Amino acid sequence: MTQDLLPEGGRLRAALEAAEQALRESQRQYREIFELASIGIFRSTPDGRIVLANPALAAMLGYDSPEELRALDLGRDVYLHGEERRALVARYEHSASPWTVEVQWKKKDGTPLWVQISAHSAGDGAGGARYFEAFVQDITARRESLEGLRLSEVRYRTLATNLPDTSVFLYDHDLRYVLVDGSSLAAVGMSKEALEGRTIFELLPADVCERLAPLRRAALAGEVVTFEETYRGRVHAVQLLPIRDASGAVIYGMGVAVDITDRKRAAAQSAENETQLLAIIDAEPECVKLLDAKGRLLTMNPAGLSMIEADALEQVVGESVLAVVAPEHRDAFATLTRGVFQGESGTLEFEIIGFKGTHRWLETHAVPLRDPQGGITALLGITRDITKRKRAEQALRESQERLQLVARATNDAVWDWDLVTDGLWWAEGFQKMFGYAPEEIEPGAESRYNRLHPEDRERVSTKIHAAIDGGETSWSDEYRFRRRDGAYAEIYDRGYVIHDADGHPVRMVGSMLDVTERKRVESQLRNLAARLEAIREEERTRIAREIHDQVGQALTALKMDLAWLAKKLPARPAALRPKLRDMESVIDATMDAMHRIVAELRPGVLDDLGLPAAIRWLAADFQEHTHIRCAVSVTGVEPSLQTAQATAVFRILQEALTNVARHARARHVDIRFHVVPSALELVVADDGRGITADEVQNRRTLGLLGIRERALTWHGQVVVHGEPGHGTTVRVFMPIVPAAPAGSAA
């Protein structure tokens, strides 16, 4: 029976059955899709309770069955950050439009995963509560891939922009810059913005393009190209690489350019420095050498070859240096070499026997030479010839032995001063002379300095150091030195400076002679001489007075008698009058001679008018009799001197002028007399031939000796200086001894 013939009710049932069948089929298909889908599917309530989920979602979250998901709260148990779900619900709860988001969920074990949710909000169809239906896809791998790509790009950017003096670029087959980064662009006036999207032909000069284009195309052809390029004063080391796609085809060329300008300059400077260093080493007067661990010579400069008497470097390279080391020093040299290769440094003095038989003493300072990793590659030795020093030391030892013998054989206080260490050695004579025990004597120069009289200390110290520092070979002085009992001895000290091979003072040896008794005798003799001089002056004064009084009166009376007689003669005997005139002339001449003798014995002007007037009178008299121009300058206060001191100064000037007249051959003399309240200075300077040093030191020069003795009597000092052809100067400095008050005893 056909459907058309069925009654109306039957047709309805058939339609209903067909619809039910279609629904069941649809439900079956939906169930199969729901159960077998590879993506997660779920339905949830707005408050986050899962009411339906497929197996794929359970597996995605690490659960065994979908039923386990129904006990979960999405915001608390599934979302990694629960606040994200609350924000999504608030945003989409009343929206019928589908939406897609990417959020982070967490698995059952807490492992995070990224998911993409495609969902919509819907009702139950009867106006009941709303719910969410969603499809979930695990995108963790994609997100990690994107994150890795992002990090890779960041790292590339960081690397490309922060590598010092480096630039990185990509270019295509048109030689067009696709990507450019780097810190070295600015140095050549380039920038990322100016390069990207443009070809080298648009940017670079033609000659540069002509060089670079073949090299860049070679990289596009699959080669790795390395070269150096100079552009705008900067030198770059460039490497070009081919960049391939998945199929292996070259799609880009990649370049890495490192600015090596400063490195090249440093290398050039280093090469220049090395050349200079080699030149310095070759010119170095001391031996510079390198040895290996077995003591074999690696290299040596010309000075070293000369020391060992080798004709050429080839003669000794690879040979053991022990061949020239004296046998008794070889063990010490080998020990030094071993120590250096263990990281130590050392110094050694040793003797060698050169290839031509010459013996030399050498001093070497050896240090380890290391490579950049710190390994010891060689022994570096700097060696100098100390043969002269060794001989000097030997001579010094012999000298010390002789000094010891001399010290025992003399009564002087022999001393030896080491100028390098400041140690001062005294012989036994020092203890005997001054009464000190050995333990009371300081070991250094203070043993002398501390015992000098305070008034002599600075003078002696200055003079002795002036002799040492001035290159003198000897020194002498007189001073007062304190004995152990506190008394001071008068000492005459002399020393001799010993220099090393380089001329530096290293020692000073000498001896002290006690001249206290001699000084006492000299003082007594000087006092006696002063007393004799005073007696002589007194006698001269007495004689001058008697001559003036007696002879002068007699001559005056005789002249008066002649005058009377001339008046009594008659006019006729004219022959007698010339005779009378001649007799009168003789009397006048005799009176003049008497006055001169009296003045020389004791000038009255000295007693009557004082020393300055006497100096002027003596200068005028000297000029009149010698025809040598004489200028006098008197300055300062009027001196108040004892008569004896004034006489001594007058006699000193008289003696000085006598020396000028006898020896100087001068045409002019300057006399300067200056007085201050406590001292006076007398200077006599001529323009004659100039006294010599030998004449100044000559003890038989009685004139100078008399001047010095008169000055010493009054504690004065005399300095005589002459320059050949430029005259002589005698300078006398004397403290003033005031005249005794009137009425006091002389």
Side-chain angles (χ1 to χ4, degrees):
M1 182 181 294
T2 63
Q3 190 175 12
D4 292 337
L5 296 179
L6 290 176
E8 184 67 25
R11 288 197 299 270
L12 289 175
R13 275 196 306 273
L16 183 58
E17 290 177 357
E20 290 177 350
Q21 180 65 30
L23 179 60
R24 284 194 296 271
E25 181 63 22
S26 174
Q27 288 177 339
R28 183 187 64 80
Q29 291 176 353
Y30 175 78
R31 176 64 61 183
E32 288 180 355
I33 293 172
F34 184 79
E35 294 292 337
L36 299 176
S38 60
I39 62 174
I41 304 172
F42 74 94
R43 176 183 292 174
S44 67
T45 63
D47 60 0
R49 183 172 55 84
I50 298 175
V51 297
L52 181 66
N54 71 339
L57 182 63
M60 186 185 302
L61 294 175
Y63 291 90
D64 295 331
S65 67
E67 285 73 19
E68 291 185 73
L69 300 181
R70 294 176 183 175
L72 302 181
D73 182 300
L74 279 170
R76 185 190 65 222
D77 301 320
V78 176
Y79 274 80
L80 185 64
H81 307 291
E83 65 274 10
E84 289 185 355
R85 185 179 187 280
R86 289 191 293 272
L88 290 173
V89 169
R91 181 176 179 183
Y92 298 114
E93 186 174 11
H94 303 292
S95 173
S97 300
W99 43 267
T100 300
V101 295
E102 293 182 2
V103 295
Q104 274 189 300
W105 280 5
K106 57 184 176 182
K107 296 182 180 181
K108 181 179 180 181
D109 60 3
T111 304
L113 73 158
W114 278 94
V115 295
Q116 178 179 290
I117 303 174
S118 298
H120 65 274
S121 173
D124 59 4
R130 300 183 65 84
Y131 57 86
F132 292 100
E133 290 183 345
F135 297 93
V136 182
Q137 185 176 359
D138 186 348
I139 61 170
T140 303
R142 177 168 65 84
R143 290 292 297 230
E144 289 178 350
S145 177
L146 289 174
E147 181 65 17
L149 183 61
R150 188 187 67 79
L151 290 175
S152 177
E153 183 176 358
V154 170
R155 289 169 182 155
Y156 158 75
R157 294 286 183 187
T158 302
L159 184 65
T161 56
N162 290 290
L163 276 176
D165 304 322
T166 301
S167 295
V168 180
F169 55 90
L170 289 178
Y171 60 91
D172 60 17
H173 285 270
D174 293 329
L175 305 188
R176 185 183 310 277
Y177 290 103
V178 177
L179 178 66
V180 180
D181 278 301
S183 60
S184 67
L185 295 173
V188 291
M190 297 291 188
S191 68
K192 174 181 177 67
E193 294 75 17
L195 292 175
E196 288 183 350
R198 304 176 69 184
T199 69
I200 65 171
F201 305 105
E202 299 174 73
L203 296 167
L204 303 177
D207 59 329
V208 177
C209 292
E210 187 176 351
R211 289 197 309 272
L212 294 183
L215 298 173
R216 297 201 175 183
R217 290 194 177 104
L220 292 170
E223 299 180 23
V224 176
V225 183
T226 302
F227 60 95
E228 288 185 4
E229 176 65 22
T230 301
Y231 182 65
R232 292 185 177 178
R234 307 297 297 182
V235 182
H236 289 79
V238 183
Q239 186 173 46
L240 302 177
L241 306 167
I243 302 298
R244 303 175 186 271
D245 62 11
S247 65
V250 177
I251 55 174
Y252 294 116
M254 176 180 177
V256 179
V258 180
D259 189 333
I260 60 172
T261 307
D262 295 337
R263 190 190 314 166
K264 294 279 283 188
R265 290 173 182 168
Q269 184 64 48
S270 177
E272 182 180 353
N273 292 344
E274 184 175 357
T275 301
Q276 293 175 350
L277 179 60
L278 291 175
I280 292 171
I281 291 175
D282 284 344
E284 170 63 42
E286 296 182 350
C287 168
V288 180
K289 62 181 181 295
L290 295 178
L291 304 180
D292 65 12
K294 294 183 178 180
R296 294 174 299 198
L297 187 67
L298 300 176
T299 188
M300 177 181 283
N301 69 339
L305 296 175
S306 177
M307 284 183 188
I308 64 175
E309 299 179 315
D311 296 324
L313 183 61
E314 294 75 17
Q315 180 182 352
V316 291
V317 167
E319 300 295 330
S320 173
V321 295
L322 292 178
V324 296
V325 177
E328 61 270 24
H329 299 286
R330 288 176 182 172
D331 289 344
F333 195 95
T335 300
L336 174 66
T337 302
R338 286 193 299 271
V340 169
F341 278 92
Q342 292 171 1
E344 302 172 359
S345 299
T347 301
L348 179 67
E349 292 182 3
F350 59 97
E351 189 177 12
I352 66 167
I353 304 172
F355 286 104
K356 297 178 182 179
T358 303
H359 287 249
R360 285 187 174 88
W361 274 94
L362 304 180
E363 179 185 64
T364 190
H365 180 66
V367 298
L369 190 66
R370 300 179 183 273
D371 59 21
Q373 291 73 38
I376 300 175
T377 59
L379 176 152
L380 171 62
I382 309 296
T383 305
R384 61 192 183 104
D385 190 332
I386 59 170
T387 305
K388 291 182 179 179
R389 193 194 79 190
K390 281 291 188 178
R391 291 172 180 169
E393 289 175 352
Q394 178 63 28
L396 183 60
R397 283 192 295 272
E398 295 174 355
S399 174
Q400 288 175 329
E401 292 174 359
R402 289 192 295 269
L403 180 62
Q404 292 281 3
L405 294 175
V406 170
R408 293 191 184 100
T410 182
N411 291 326
D412 290 0
V414 178
W415 50 269
D416 184 357
W417 184 13
D418 189 325
L419 301 178
V420 178
T421 65
D422 202 38
L424 184 58
W425 170 85
W426 296 98
E428 295 177 4
F430 180 84
Q431 304 163 32
K432 297 177 181 177
M433 184 178 293
F434 301 110
Y436 291 101
E439 61 273 10
E440 295 177 311
I441 305 172
E442 301 89 339
E446 66 272 16
S447 58
R448 181 210 307 269
Y449 185 80
N450 291 343
R451 291 175 174 82
L452 289 170
H453 193 282
E455 296 177 1
D456 299 336
R457 190 172 295 157
E458 183 176 356
R459 172 181 58 82
V460 173
S461 179
T462 300
K463 287 183 65 176
I464 196 169
H465 282 96
I468 295 170
D469 299 337
E472 302 291 337
T473 57
S474 63
W475 159 85
S476 63
D477 203 349
E478 292 187 8
Y479 53 82
R480 288 162 290 181
F481 196 81
R482 189 178 70 250
R483 294 190 176 97
R484 190 179 186 281
D485 60 7
Y488 282 91
E490 295 282 350
I491 298 299
Y492 172 66
D493 200 353
R494 63 276 193 202
Y496 299 90
V497 184
I498 299 174
H499 299 80
D500 62 14
D502 298 323
H504 301 127
V506 293
R507 287 178 63 209
M508 191 173 186
V509 295
S511 64
M512 301 167 66
L513 178 63
D514 189 342
V515 295
T516 305
E517 182 62 23
R518 191 195 75 186
K519 286 283 188 178
R520 186 185 64 78
V521 173
E522 287 179 354
S523 179
Q524 290 178 344
L525 291 175
R526 189 166 290 112
N527 291 336
L528 178 60
R531 179 57 184 158
L532 291 175
E533 182 64 24
I535 293 172
R536 188 160 50 248
E537 288 294 337
E538 292 174 0
E539 187 66 16
R540 284 175 176 171
T541 301
R542 185 187 63 78
I543 293 172
R545 187 179 298 114
E546 289 182 358
I547 291 175
H548 181 273
D549 293 344
Q550 297 181 17
V551 178
Q553 291 176 6
L555 290 174
T556 301
L558 183 59
K559 187 174 182 180
M560 293 174 62
D561 289 343
L562 285 175
W564 179 85
L565 183 60
K567 292 179 181 180
K568 299 298 183 182
L569 287 176
R572 291 286 184 183
L576 293 176
R577 292 190 180 277
K579 188 64 174 176
L580 288 175
R581 285 194 295 272
D582 290 342
M583 291 176 65
E584 188 176 3
S585 297
V586 170
I587 291 173
D588 289 340
T590 302
M591 291 183 72
D592 290 341
M594 180 198 70
H595 290 148
R596 185 174 65 254
I597 292 171
V598 168
E600 290 177 354
L601 286 172
R602 181 68 182 183
V605 67
L606 180 61
D607 296 324
D608 299 335
L609 301 179
L611 183 58
I615 290 174
R616 292 188 179 94
W617 172 84
L618 182 59
D621 184 71
F622 175 80
Q623 179 172 305
E624 180 182 354
H625 287 89
T626 63
H627 305 291
I628 298 173
R629 287 186 294 113
C630 198
V632 179
S633 172
V634 177
T635 58
V637 299
E638 182 71 22
S640 177
L641 306 175
Q642 291 186 17
T643 301
Q645 187 175 19
T647 302
V649 175
F650 181 84
R651 294 303 183 193
I652 288 173
L653 175 59
Q654 195 173 45
E655 188 65 49
L657 292 176
T658 299
N659 286 340
V660 171
R662 289 178 179 175
H663 309 294
R665 298 197 292 273
R667 292 179 296 177
H668 184 79
V669 177
D670 281 327
I671 300 173
R672 298 190 295 277
F673 182 64
H674 179 68
V675 183
V676 295
S678 60
L680 60 85
E681 183 183 43
L682 175 66
V683 179
V684 181
D686 65 63
D687 62 352
R689 65 178 181 85
I691 192 170
T692 65
D694 290 340
E695 289 172 330
V696 172
Q697 299 297 329
N698 190 348
R699 295 288 183 180
R700 293 180 294 178
T701 306
L702 298 180
L704 292 179
L705 181 60
I707 290 173
R708 289 192 177 98
E709 287 299 321
R710 282 190 170 93
L712 284 173
T713 300
W714 298 94
H715 309 291
Q717 297 178 356
V718 178
V719 177
V720 182
H721 174 72
E723 187 174 348
H726 296 280
T728 301
T729 300
V730 177
R731 188 181 304 273
V732 180
F733 180 82
M734 187 181 297
I736 291 177
V737 179
S744 63

